[in-house]
Amino acid sequence: MTLAEEDYIKAIYQLEADKKGNILTNDIAAKLSTKASSVTDMLKRLEKKGLIHYQKYQGVSLKENGKKFALKLIRQHRLWETFLVKSLGFGWESVHDIAEKLEHIHSDELIERLDHFLGHPAFDPHGEPIPLEKGRIWEIKSQKLSEVEPGYEYVLDAVIQPDNEFLIYLNKINLQIGSVFKLKNIESYDRSVEIEMERQTYFLSQETTFNLKVRKHGA
Ligand SMILES: [Zn+2]
């Protein structure tokens, strides 16, 4: 597998996880910021390798071994992120890009030793579950902050798009995995929200609430 092929497999997996319904060429092009024509070429290659089902105009889905491979990459990515934060002292905002490179090193022995060294962590520093060796992954019952009711206390479970600038912003307002806050109000005009945390009030944009996964405090 080439690096690009691996990135496609992971992108299709993530699109399938986010979206109900067919994954189309344009969805993949948008996710990987590339042209639809290059996506089509790549999909034909992945289909030949037996990793995906692909029919023109009908969309793409991963075959069982494509899915297993995607979960393997995600496992490697999330273990490396955990290592970078826990063992090397990086901030959670600066590990994703490094892990994007490290995830492509394929050595089962290295990964098993890494997992053992870290004490078999269940979650990465962004709160996402680390898939198990056999390609199983925990189902987490959290919801997007953009989809929950106001008037309750919530715990931040995970950050969906852990990109650098977003995490720096969360650092600024001191919002971390495990932070507890009350969702006070949702503005019907632009879906921005008001939260109260440690007696301080913050207003979060809809872009922010789309990217945070929460569960009811105490639930
Ligand atoms: Zn990451």
Side-chain angles (χ1 to χ4, degrees), residues 12-207:
I12 297 167
Y13 178 85
Q14 280 160 349
L15 287 165
E16 282 184 347
D18 293 349
K19 188 178 158 176
K20 290 138 199 99
N22 285 349
I23 309 301
L24 302 173
T25 313
N26 284 336
D27 299 324
I28 301 170
K31 180 145 184 101
L32 294 172
S33 328
T34 185
K35 290 177 299 181
S37 59
S38 13
V39 175
T40 308
D41 290 344
M42 178 60 92
L43 293 180
K44 285 180 191 154
R45 267 160 61 187
L46 294 172
E47 148 113 285
K48 261 198 196 137
K49 293 196 170 188
L51 294 163
I52 61 168
H53 293 286
Y54 169 57
Q55 266 188 322
K56 228 178 170 180
Y57 310 117
Q58 297 204 14
V60 188
S61 61
L62 289 177
K63 285 189 176 167
E64 205 44 51
N65 53 347
K67 192 175 160 192
K68 259 200 192 144
F69 192 76
L71 284 165
K72 185 175 183 167
L73 288 167
I74 292 168
R75 171 174 166 79
Q76 295 180 174
H77 181 104
R78 292 180 178 170
L79 283 170
W80 283 120
E81 284 188 335
T82 307
F83 174 71
L84 292 167
V85 170
K86 262 183 135 179
S87 309
L88 299 189
F90 279 85
W92 71 333
E93 72 285 352
S94 38
V95 295
H96 178 77
D97 289 351
I98 307 172
E100 283 288 284
K101 300 200 174 85
L102 291 169
E103 73 184 25
H104 298 288
I105 303 170
H106 293 292
S107 159
D108 289 346
E109 192 185 353
L110 172 66
I111 293 303
E112 286 342 298
R113 285 185 184 229
L114 180 63
D115 183 41
H116 183 74
F117 175 75
L118 294 168
H120 310 286
F123 296 95
D124 77 9
H126 306 121
E128 296 285 14
I130 298 174
L132 301 172
E133 195 184 352
K134 296 272 179 281
R136 278 170 300 138
I137 188 161
W138 304 104
E139 281 284 350
I140 304 299
K141 288 198 192 79
S142 44
Q143 287 176 284
K144 291 184 179 185
L145 180 55
S146 55
E147 290 165 357
V148 297
E149 273 179 277
Y152 297 95
E153 277 197 315
Y154 293 94
V155 186
L156 181 62
D157 259 353
V159 173
I160 298 172
Q161 286 285 344
D163 69 64
N164 173 272
E165 282 178 36
F166 183 50
L167 296 173
I168 289 174
Y169 166 67
L170 296 183
N171 286 345
K172 252 191 236 169
I173 60 174
N174 220 359
L175 203 51
Q176 299 163 351
I177 302 302
S179 289
V180 178
F181 56 84
K182 185 166 183 188
L183 177 59
K184 298 194 74 179
N185 184 41
I186 302 175
E187 177 56 53
S188 56
Y189 166 62
D190 62 358
R191 310 291 300 161
S192 63
V193 306
E194 181 186 347
I195 64 168
E196 188 184 282
M197 185 169 60
E198 281 158 14
R199 282 186 236 114
Q200 298 230 45
T201 297
Y202 301 93
F203 292 89
L204 306 178
S205 69
Q206 194 186 28
E207 202 178 332

